[in-house]
Amino acid sequence: MTSFSACIVVGGSDRGRRRARNEDSFVLLPEDGIAVVADGMGGHPGGDVASRIAARATADGLRQKLSSTANATLEDRERAMRASVLEAHEAVLARSREEPSLLGMGTTTTAIALDITTGRYIVGNIGDSRTYRFRDGRLEQLTRDDTWLQDRIDSGRIRREDAMGHPEGHLLTQCIGLDQTPVPRTVQGEAAPGDVFLLCSDGLMASLTDDDIVDVLERSLDGTAAGAERTVEALIGAANAAGGRDNITVALVAVP
């Protein structure tokens, strides 16, 4: 296992150029190596409320459940991620039942918890907010989108290169906050020095290709917290320059 003295955790969010309000949320717990991004469902009541509740509940749940990880097994980490995301789902659902005006609110979420004492990371997601790993100049998507479009890509009905800008690309197959209990997806691995984990709402991918994102990462990252902050700003700026079709939220967890 790899041990790190610390990790860099930064984030930012922007309304974009075409939305009346920002329904994205993010929570960062740098001392715990935790970052969460949530994207409230546009066109539904309380999307911003749902994303705030989900991001906070997921982050707090992970901190509580992973506060003592010296002897945690892979199964322990997976249970902690799944439980934290499902607790967020219940929190959003409970709020919507308390306030009838919020009925139907929902959100996506993606989260990472990186244990600096072991180098292990656990990633979870529901919906189409994503987590990537940038390593040695290569960007790898760690999460799978819970979307109608991704199902068609997996079945071979739509080519991946035709997916960007697809008119049905926003249709989710599951999310946090609706009556149907979602099934969180998780992935685990071991971080290496220099790894950067990128969490984002779909507003980033709506405007930028993977190659666009890699170009910004390679130009802006320099291994420092200031460089990571500049990278977040540069990614949001590039997405806005390319049209800013949706709210844009980015969080980076960087290993020195």
Side-chain angles (χ1 to χ4, degrees):
M1 293 292 183
T2 306
S3 179
F4 310 110
S5 59
C7 60
I8 297 165
V9 184
V10 298
S13 187
D14 189 86
R15 179 168 57 91
R17 294 189 169 181
R18 301 190 185 181
R19 299 293 187 182
R21 61 179 181 175
N22 192 347
E23 296 186 308
D24 288 358
S25 299
F26 69 98
V27 173
L28 310 176
L29 303 177
E31 66 278 10
D32 299 295
I34 291 170
V36 183
V37 167
D39 178 358
M41 290 166 54
H44 292 257
D48 53 338
V49 178
S51 69
R52 285 197 301 270
I53 294 172
R56 173 52 61 185
T58 301
D60 289 347
L62 285 169
R63 176 165 53 186
Q64 178 183 11
K65 294 172 177 58
L66 296 175
S67 59
S68 178
T69 59
N71 298 311
T73 65
L74 298 181
E75 291 76 14
D76 292 335
R77 296 179 189 280
E78 182 173 7
R79 279 194 295 270
M81 178 62 76
R82 289 181 179 275
S84 298
V85 173
L86 289 176
E87 286 171 5
H89 168 70
E90 292 299 330
V92 172
L93 198 57
R95 178 69 177 274
S96 67
R97 288 169 177 165
E98 292 171 0
E99 297 186 38
S101 63
L102 297 177
L103 282 174
M105 71 175 178
T107 182
T108 70
T109 193
T110 188
I112 186 171
L114 171 64
D115 185 348
I116 63 173
T117 63
T118 65
R120 299 291 312 184
Y121 65 83
I122 174 80
V123 169
N125 82 291
I126 290 175
D128 60 355
S129 292
R130 294 179 179 176
T131 296
Y132 294 88
R133 183 183 65 195
F134 183 59
R135 173 184 287 176
D136 298 330
R138 179 171 177 263
L139 189 69
E140 179 184 1
Q141 184 178 334
L142 299 180
T143 53
R144 179 194 181 277
D145 296 346
D146 291 319
T147 62
W148 176 93
L149 183 59
Q150 186 63 54
D151 288 348
R152 266 80 188 154
I153 293 172
D154 291 347
S155 65
R157 300 179 190 177
I158 295 176
R159 298 185 305 169
R160 185 172 298 277
E161 54 267 31
D162 296 331
M164 188 173 180
H166 194 284
E168 306 299 334
H170 65 286
L171 297 179
L172 299 176
T173 54
Q174 65 170 358
C175 69
I176 284 177
L178 299 186
D179 286 334
Q180 182 177 353
T181 302
V183 180
R185 302 178 184 276
T186 63
V187 62
Q188 298 197 55
E190 186 172 349
D195 279 355
V196 176
F197 297 91
L198 165 65
L199 289 72
C200 60
S201 61
D202 68 340
L204 186 72
M205 299 90 71
S207 297
L208 302 181
T209 66
D210 285 2
D211 287 343
D212 294 331
I213 295 171
V214 168
D215 182 57
V216 173
L217 295 174
E218 290 184 330
R219 284 189 289 107
S220 302
L221 290 169
D222 61 5
T224 68
E229 291 174 351
R230 285 194 301 270
T231 303
V232 169
E233 294 173 358
L235 286 167
I236 292 173
N240 272 326
R245 298 175 179 85
D246 201 349
N247 306 148
I248 309 155
T249 299
V250 176
L252 295 181
V253 178
V255 180

mmCIF file of all heavy atoms in Angstrom, residues 30-31 36 78 83 108 120 127 137 146 190 198 201 212 215 217 233:
data_model
loop_
_atom_site.group_PDB
_atom_site.id
_atom_site.type_symbol
_atom_site.label_atom_id
_atom_site.label_comp_id
_atom_site.label_asym_id
_atom_site.label_seq_id
_atom_site.Cartn_x
_atom_site.Cartn_y
_atom_site.Cartn_z
ATOM 1 N N PRO A 30 -11.272 18.138 3.006
ATOM 2 C CA PRO A 30 -9.875 17.853 2.665
ATOM 3 C C PRO A 30 -9.154 16.995 3.685
ATOM 4 O O PRO A 30 -8.340 16.142 3.314
ATOM 5 C CB PRO A 30 -9.257 19.262 2.580
ATOM 6 C CG PRO A 30 -10.403 20.153 2.270
ATOM 7 C CD PRO A 30 -11.571 19.581 3.002
ATOM 8 N N GLU A 31 -9.428 17.227 4.972
ATOM 9 C CA GLU A 31 -8.724 16.469 6.004
ATOM 10 C C GLU A 31 -9.077 14.996 5.989
ATOM 11 O O GLU A 31 -8.347 14.159 6.529
ATOM 12 C CB GLU A 31 -9.032 17.062 7.388
ATOM 13 C CG GLU A 31 -10.481 16.915 7.839
ATOM 14 C CD GLU A 31 -11.421 17.950 7.276
ATOM 15 O OE1 GLU A 31 -11.026 18.702 6.365
ATOM 16 O OE2 GLU A 31 -12.573 18.020 7.758
ATOM 17 N N VAL A 36 -17.535 15.371 -2.771
ATOM 18 C CA VAL A 36 -18.835 14.939 -3.296
ATOM 19 C C VAL A 36 -19.369 16.024 -4.228
ATOM 20 O O VAL A 36 -19.308 17.211 -3.910
ATOM 21 C CB VAL A 36 -19.859 14.696 -2.162
ATOM 22 C CG1 VAL A 36 -21.179 14.164 -2.742
ATOM 23 C CG2 VAL A 36 -19.311 13.729 -1.112
ATOM 24 N N GLU A 78 -16.790 -0.517 0.779
ATOM 25 C CA GLU A 78 -17.929 -0.548 -0.124
ATOM 26 C C GLU A 78 -19.229 -0.360 0.643
ATOM 27 O O GLU A 78 -20.114 0.394 0.213
ATOM 28 C CB GLU A 78 -17.965 -1.859 -0.903
ATOM 29 C CG GLU A 78 -19.107 -1.912 -1.901
ATOM 30 C CD GLU A 78 -19.048 -3.129 -2.805
ATOM 31 O OE1 GLU A 78 -18.192 -4.001 -2.573
ATOM 32 O OE2 GLU A 78 -19.865 -3.196 -3.737
ATOM 33 N N ALA A 83 -23.885 2.787 1.991
ATOM 34 C CA ALA A 83 -24.751 3.255 3.074
ATOM 35 C C ALA A 83 -24.841 4.775 3.083
ATOM 36 O O ALA A 83 -25.916 5.345 3.291
ATOM 37 C CB ALA A 83 -24.233 2.745 4.415
ATOM 38 N N THR A 108 -28.442 13.740 -8.800
ATOM 39 C CA THR A 108 -27.380 12.754 -8.981
ATOM 40 C C THR A 108 -26.365 12.960 -7.861
ATOM 41 O O THR A 108 -26.412 13.949 -7.134
ATOM 42 C CB THR A 108 -26.665 12.948 -10.323
ATOM 43 O OG1 THR A 108 -25.896 14.160 -10.277
ATOM 44 C CG2 THR A 108 -27.664 13.019 -11.471
ATOM 45 N N ARG A 120 -5.703 3.765 -0.544
ATOM 46 C CA ARG A 120 -6.894 3.187 -1.155
ATOM 47 C C ARG A 120 -7.953 4.267 -1.376
ATOM 48 O O ARG A 120 -8.079 5.189 -0.570
ATOM 49 C CB ARG A 120 -7.499 2.101 -0.263
ATOM 50 C CG ARG A 120 -6.622 0.918 0.037
ATOM 51 C CD ARG A 120 -6.355 0.036 -1.136
ATOM 52 N NE ARG A 120 -7.548 -0.328 -1.892
ATOM 53 C CZ ARG A 120 -7.535 -1.177 -2.924
ATOM 54 N NH1 ARG A 120 -6.406 -1.743 -3.286
ATOM 55 N NH2 ARG A 120 -8.639 -1.448 -3.580
ATOM 56 N N GLY A 127 -26.668 8.232 -10.971
ATOM 57 C CA GLY A 127 -26.960 9.242 -11.977
ATOM 58 C C GLY A 127 -25.797 9.442 -12.929
ATOM 59 O O GLY A 127 -25.000 8.525 -13.162
ATOM 60 N N GLY A 137 -1.039 11.240 -17.940
ATOM 61 C CA GLY A 137 -1.554 11.834 -19.158
ATOM 62 C C GLY A 137 -2.798 11.181 -19.720
ATOM 63 O O GLY A 137 -3.284 11.578 -20.794
ATOM 64 N N ASP A 146 -25.799 6.453 -15.157
ATOM 65 C CA ASP A 146 -27.123 5.823 -15.068
ATOM 66 C C ASP A 146 -28.068 6.589 -15.985
ATOM 67 O O ASP A 146 -28.895 7.391 -15.555
ATOM 68 C CB ASP A 146 -27.642 5.873 -13.622
ATOM 69 C CG ASP A 146 -26.853 4.974 -12.698
ATOM 70 O OD1 ASP A 146 -26.519 3.854 -13.100
ATOM 71 O OD2 ASP A 146 -26.576 5.400 -11.560
ATOM 72 N N GLU A 190 -6.203 1.639 -5.838
ATOM 73 C CA GLU A 190 -5.095 2.207 -5.079
ATOM 74 C C GLU A 190 -4.510 3.377 -5.850
ATOM 75 O O GLU A 190 -4.164 3.248 -7.029
ATOM 76 C CB GLU A 190 -4.010 1.165 -4.822
ATOM 77 C CG GLU A 190 -2.900 1.672 -3.911
ATOM 78 C CD GLU A 190 -1.937 0.576 -3.510
ATOM 79 O OE1 GLU A 190 -2.227 -0.602 -3.746
ATOM 80 O OE2 GLU A 190 -0.878 0.924 -2.939
ATOM 81 N N LEU A 198 -10.965 13.611 -10.712
ATOM 82 C CA LEU A 198 -11.830 14.704 -11.167
ATOM 83 C C LEU A 198 -13.279 14.284 -11.022
ATOM 84 O O LEU A 198 -13.713 13.311 -11.637
ATOM 85 C CB LEU A 198 -11.513 15.036 -12.621
ATOM 86 C CG LEU A 198 -12.517 15.900 -13.387
ATOM 87 C CD1 LEU A 198 -12.596 17.289 -12.788
ATOM 88 C CD2 LEU A 198 -12.157 15.967 -14.863
ATOM 89 N N SER A 201 -20.179 17.506 -12.509
ATOM 90 C CA SER A 201 -21.553 17.371 -12.963
ATOM 91 C C SER A 201 -21.548 17.271 -14.485
ATOM 92 O O SER A 201 -20.529 17.539 -15.137
ATOM 93 C CB SER A 201 -22.390 18.565 -12.499
ATOM 94 O OG SER A 201 -21.871 19.769 -13.033
ATOM 95 N N ASP A 212 -10.485 17.638 -24.572
ATOM 96 C CA ASP A 212 -10.497 19.020 -24.084
ATOM 97 C C ASP A 212 -10.098 19.068 -22.609
ATOM 98 O O ASP A 212 -9.335 19.939 -22.178
ATOM 99 C CB ASP A 212 -11.891 19.637 -24.233
ATOM 100 C CG ASP A 212 -12.318 19.806 -25.675
ATOM 101 O OD1 ASP A 212 -11.439 19.980 -26.543
ATOM 102 O OD2 ASP A 212 -13.539 19.750 -25.926
ATOM 103 N N ASP A 215 -6.425 18.395 -22.080
ATOM 104 C CA ASP A 215 -5.628 19.566 -22.467
ATOM 105 C C ASP A 215 -5.554 20.574 -21.323
ATOM 106 O O ASP A 215 -4.479 21.101 -21.010
ATOM 107 C CB ASP A 215 -6.246 20.221 -23.702
ATOM 108 C CG ASP A 215 -5.430 21.412 -24.186
ATOM 109 O OD1 ASP A 215 -4.239 21.242 -24.478
ATOM 110 O OD2 ASP A 215 -5.997 22.518 -24.248
ATOM 111 N N LEU A 217 -6.053 19.933 -18.057
ATOM 112 C CA LEU A 217 -5.319 19.324 -16.948
ATOM 113 C C LEU A 217 -3.817 19.401 -17.173
ATOM 114 O O LEU A 217 -3.053 19.728 -16.260
ATOM 115 C CB LEU A 217 -5.752 17.870 -16.767
ATOM 116 C CG LEU A 217 -7.201 17.626 -16.343
ATOM 117 C CD1 LEU A 217 -7.521 16.131 -16.337
ATOM 118 C CD2 LEU A 217 -7.483 18.211 -14.960
ATOM 119 N N GLU A 233 -10.795 26.384 -12.095
ATOM 120 C CA GLU A 233 -11.250 27.599 -12.760
ATOM 121 C C GLU A 233 -11.124 27.479 -14.273
ATOM 122 O O GLU A 233 -12.013 27.929 -15.025
ATOM 123 C CB GLU A 233 -10.445 28.798 -12.258
ATOM 124 C CG GLU A 233 -10.671 29.125 -10.783
ATOM 125 C CD GLU A 233 -9.731 30.207 -10.283
ATOM 126 O OE1 GLU A 233 -8.888 30.667 -11.091
ATOM 127 O OE2 GLU A 233 -9.843 30.594 -9.107
#
